[in-house]
Amino acid sequence: MDIAIVLGSKGVNATGLIRSLGMASINVVYASTYSKIESKYVWKYLKLPEDKKKWVNILNNYFDMKKIRPSIFPCDDEMVVWLDENYNKLVKKFILPSSSIDLKVIADKSVMNKLADEAGLNVPKYRKVLIKNIPQQVEYPLILKPYAGYAGNKCDISICRNEKELRYATEELCEAGYQEVLMQRLLDDEEQSELGVTGISLPNGEVIIPGVIHKIRSYPNGRGSTSYAKFSPNVREIDINGIIKFVRLTGYIGIFDIDIINAYGKKWFIEINYRNGQYGYIATAAGYNLPANWVWGMNGHNIQRPQKIQEIYFINEREDYRHVKEGTINRKEWLKEFHTASAYGMYCPGDQRPFIRQYVKVPDRVIIKGRKLKSHIKDLLIKEEWNIAIRKRGDKSLWEKSGETKKFTVLPNTIRYWAADPFIISARGKDYLFFEMFDRLKSKGLIGYREISGNKIGKMKIAYEADHHLSFPYIFEYKNEYYMMPEYSEGKELFVLKATHFPDKWEKIESWMQGKRFVDSVLLSHEGENYLLTQDLQSGYSSEKFSIFIRKGKEWVPHKQSPVVKSLANARLA
């Protein structure tokens, strides 16, 4: 009897591992601080406490077996580091992914890049640098990123095309607490594409790679995880010998996932993850079960050889469908791609409970929703809210003498919604009031509008809704078209919408400042230059800095005098 433990967070990575192992009749234990993954392939569930210091004793006592050594699979980077730190305390009873070199060392991107270079792979120029000692002479464009998965966050990756952007990025990283980062050449080929290589390595030096993943879409675009991809058994399209040599140089034994970029007519090594990737189940669906073969190989059993591997498509249905919701993909086209796929994120014919449970009666979702219960009660019972008041424009402004004599009309809120952040725009002989429309039931803001015709003010209606909170609907007209740039800091993105049917249908046409929390932003055109006035939240919901960016080509570059205001009282536009 073979036993495998899937350790860590609850999601696509863990579910893919559980299914692959279970389909090979390996008994799977899901061990996590999260609730149980409701797959038919979960043999046992071990609830772990939040305190990781207790985990070693819990695992050793729970699996006190003399003849069987369960294999442990980490399903996220945090678990990779934890297993490496506790390797000596666990290795007698468990089979663990490991390396002849310290895993924390080979997880350093500067180290993995050096080993990839030694293996003969193409590696973009790189160097590990101190934030406070960035070199003066550098080649642009470049990218700054955490030097390891455990040393930072994906959201802190910065692309720099000139000295000003580099200076701004280093200031931001310094404020975020970084001391060292990886500086690397940015591959910026218009025709470039992303590839993935997933495989296993065994103690005898054997490295098995059953195919190549062609990444077609990610969510969010350009910086998120792969949401739609093609798996091809043709490994000759990559430098397979160089990759095998690289894996051997790392001394790593376990499942791995390698990122490659195809640009300028070459395949470039980007990084390796020492765990199962989000699309890890794709190889199993294509005909080669990587997790099961690693368990068999580590237990001295015969392993299978990759034969009759199929070309198939993978879709992480929940993340990829967001493209449909945002209007970047036609729903009919997406459904066609969904039905032609053979591997999915949570959906799986014959094992539907994980897919269903993410929408119906999911304990983790209940817990997350419960965290907002206080604010719901406050909204519904205490009735803390904002209102909008309007009046007709007179000869004098509000701040001028006698300018306040015209009375305001307070617009009533509804039981479900209250309103804030008003903007008025005229269109086709009518006036429209756009505003943040806070939904008490969903505990987030939508963009709403009211139609104003003479003295008649229409009802509150929804203009646009997104996955996260929206507010401050900065709206403007340009060349007889209507555009809106709402605040979307919870989604870590600043985007522009264009009206396809004013005032209630909008599509996203541009996305800026991805990974940043910009709030209450407006655009200004002055003397032939375009400016973005905004506030960048580093943490919490307030900042003392009011910043200005200037448009250069397709990029927003910090103005040389930015930030122009440093005051908690005066730095925010709303």
Side-chain angles (χ1 to χ4, degrees):
M1 179 177 72
D2 290 319
I3 297 174
I5 303 163
V6 174
L7 178 68
S9 55
K10 183 177 183 178
V12 173
N13 293 31
T15 306
L17 281 167
I18 289 167
R19 283 175 174 154
S20 294
L21 294 161
M23 287 175 179
S25 300
I26 294 169
N27 292 308
V28 183
V29 178
Y30 177 54
S32 178
T33 57
Y34 290 78
S35 60
K36 180 182 177 181
I37 292 179
E38 298 288 345
S39 170
K40 70 178 185 180
Y41 297 111
V42 173
W43 176 51
K44 291 183 179 180
Y45 163 61
L46 176 59
K47 176 71 173 178
L48 295 174
E50 294 292 337
D51 186 358
K52 292 188 181 68
K53 293 178 182 178
K54 299 177 180 180
W55 288 12
V56 170
N57 287 336
I58 290 171
L59 289 170
N60 279 324
N61 292 332
Y62 190 83
F63 297 96
D64 192 11
M65 304 174 180
K66 294 182 179 179
K67 295 184 179 181
I68 299 173
R69 287 176 70 208
S71 303
I72 300 183
F73 290 84
C75 49
D76 55 58
D77 291 332
E78 186 181 355
M79 293 303 100
V80 171
V81 173
W82 185 83
L83 284 175
D84 186 49
E85 291 173 345
N86 293 279
Y87 180 83
N88 292 330
K89 299 175 184 177
L90 294 167
V91 69
K92 288 183 180 180
K93 290 189 176 182
F94 301 96
I95 296 171
L96 308 170
S98 62
S99 172
S100 55
I101 310 171
D102 190 333
L103 258 177
K104 205 165 185 178
V105 172
I106 59 171
D108 185 321
K109 291 180 173 65
S110 63
V111 175
M112 65 174 73
N113 280 336
K114 182 181 178 182
L115 294 175
D117 193 35
E118 288 179 23
L121 299 175
N122 296 310
V123 180
K125 286 184 182 178
Y126 68 93
R127 57 176 129 173
K128 190 176 178 182
V129 295
L130 291 169
I131 283 289
K132 294 184 178 179
N133 193 25
I134 296 289
Q136 297 296 317
Q137 301 298 321
V138 296
E139 293 181 27
Y140 296 101
L142 60 84
I143 185 168
L144 293 180
K145 55 187 176 182
Y147 66 83
Y150 59 81
N153 194 303
K154 256 187 176 182
C155 294
D156 294 325
I157 294 174
S158 296
I159 293 172
C160 307
R161 299 184 183 277
N162 52 53
E163 185 180 345
K164 288 182 180 178
E165 290 186 4
L166 177 60
R167 186 166 57 247
Y168 178 76
T170 53
E171 288 174 0
E172 294 285 292
L173 290 167
C174 193
E175 284 186 16
Y178 284 87
Q179 295 182 342
E180 282 185 296
V181 292
L182 190 80
M183 176 185 284
Q184 192 162 29
R185 173 195 174 191
L186 175 69
L187 300 176
D188 202 23
D189 184 359
E190 289 184 359
E191 303 297 322
Q192 73 186 38
S193 58
E194 294 183 49
L195 305 174
V197 175
T198 185
I200 55 173
S201 52
L202 296 164
N204 61 2
E206 186 171 8
V207 178
I208 297 174
I209 297 170
V212 179
I213 295 101
H214 293 257
K215 302 179 183 183
I216 301 170
R217 281 195 300 269
S218 61
Y219 188 87
N221 271 327
R223 63 185 176 91
S225 298
T226 303
S227 60
Y228 184 52
K230 182 180 79 171
F231 181 88
S232 168
N234 181 19
V235 295
R236 290 176 295 177
E237 59 184 305
I238 57 171
D239 182 1
I240 187 68
N241 292 325
I243 289 174
I244 290 173
K245 183 178 179 181
F246 161 71
V247 174
R248 287 173 178 164
L249 284 173
T250 66
Y252 175 70
I253 297 168
I255 284 192
F256 59 84
D257 177 31
I258 296 175
D259 291 333
I260 294 171
I261 289 182
N262 182 12
Y264 310 111
K266 295 180 179 180
K267 307 293 191 300
W268 300 84
F269 171 85
I270 302 301
E271 66 180 26
I272 180 172
N273 297 302
Y274 301 106
R275 55 170 174 76
N276 187 64
Q278 178 163 273
Y279 46 68
Y281 178 69
I282 195 171
T284 300
Y288 192 81
N289 194 324
L290 287 165
N293 276 283
W294 191 74
V295 171
W296 296 331
M298 295 301 290
N299 280 286
H301 307 322
N302 292 329
I303 62 171
Q304 299 170 347
R305 302 295 163 190
Q307 293 178 345
K308 298 180 180 180
I309 309 299
Q310 304 173 61
E311 180 178 286
I312 65 167
Y313 285 84
F314 160 84
I315 191 165
N316 182 1
E317 65 284 350
R318 184 169 183 177
E319 293 302 309
D320 200 60
Y321 191 73
R322 294 176 190 269
H323 290 292
V324 178
K325 292 171 73 174
E326 294 181 2
T328 56
I329 296 175
N330 178 274
R331 186 172 184 271
K332 186 176 180 181
E333 179 187 341
W334 186 88
L335 286 171
K336 182 180 178 182
E337 291 174 344
F338 176 83
H339 289 299
T340 55
S342 302
Y344 304 87
M346 287 292 188
Y347 177 79
C348 180
D351 185 35
Q352 292 286 33
R353 290 190 74 186
F355 175 74
I356 295 169
R357 293 284 283 182
Q358 67 180 334
Y359 299 104
V360 182
K361 297 181 181 179
V362 182
D364 291 330
R365 287 180 170 274
V366 172
I367 292 168
I368 293 167
K369 292 290 185 184
R371 290 172 185 168
K372 297 183 178 180
L373 185 59
K374 287 183 180 179
S375 64
H376 280 304
I377 294 171
K378 205 171 186 180
D379 282 330
L380 292 169
L381 300 180
I382 302 175
K383 213 167 170 80
E384 180 181 318
E385 61 182 39
W386 292 84
N387 281 87
I388 292 174
I390 64 171
R391 68 173 189 166
K392 286 191 175 181
R393 183 186 296 158
D395 296 331
K396 294 183 178 181
S397 298
L398 184 63
W399 58 85
E400 293 180 304
K401 188 176 181 180
S402 302
E404 75 282 0
T405 55
K406 275 186 175 286
K407 291 184 178 181
F408 281 89
T409 299
V410 178
L411 304 183
N413 294 327
T414 67
I415 294 174
R416 180 168 177 175
Y417 302 105
W418 55 253
D421 295 347
F423 287 83
I424 290 181
I425 190 167
S426 298
R428 304 180 185 93
K430 296 180 180 178
D431 294 319
Y432 292 87
L433 175 69
F434 283 79
F435 48 88
E436 172 193 344
M437 191 163 86
F438 189 85
D439 187 335
R440 292 184 178 91
L441 296 182
K442 293 183 178 180
S443 194
K444 71 172 185 178
L446 324 173
I447 301 303
Y449 74 94
R450 289 179 186 259
E451 186 178 309
I452 303 173
S453 182
N455 293 321
K456 293 182 179 180
I457 300 170
K459 294 181 179 180
M460 297 171 74
K461 297 180 180 179
I462 297 174
Y464 188 77
E465 182 176 2
D467 290 335
H468 299 287
H469 175 81
L470 290 163
S471 62
F472 202 82
Y474 173 69
I475 188 167
F476 59 97
E477 179 188 358
Y478 180 69
K479 293 183 178 180
N480 296 320
E481 301 282 0
Y482 296 93
Y483 300 88
M484 189 195 320
M485 185 173 67
E487 185 263 300
Y488 194 56
S489 63
E490 284 190 14
K492 295 185 178 179
E493 182 183 6
L494 182 63
F495 57 75
V496 176
L497 303 170
K498 180 180 179 181
T500 57
H501 182 275
F502 187 87
D504 58 352
K505 294 194 183 302
W506 302 79
E507 66 175 0
K508 186 190 294 186
I509 59 167
E510 291 216 33
S511 177
W512 305 327
M513 308 298 187
Q514 292 186 349
K516 301 288 186 179
R517 295 177 61 222
F518 281 62
V519 296
D520 304 343
S521 308
V522 300
L523 298 171
L524 174 67
S525 183
H526 178 66
E527 295 184 351
E529 299 282 7
N530 293 317
Y531 298 91
L532 172 67
L533 286 64
T534 189
Q535 188 181 42
D536 184 4
L537 299 186
Q538 295 297 314
S539 62
Y541 294 93
S542 61
S543 170
E544 63 176 11
K545 294 181 181 180
F546 179 58
S547 302
I548 297 180
F549 293 78
I550 186 169
R551 186 77 166 182
K552 297 294 183 183
K554 295 183 178 181
E555 302 293 330
W556 288 104
V557 180
H559 192 276
K560 61 183 179 182
Q561 294 182 347
S562 186
V564 292
V565 175
K566 287 187 176 182
S567 166
L568 280 174
N570 302 315
R572 191 159 176 173
L573 287 174

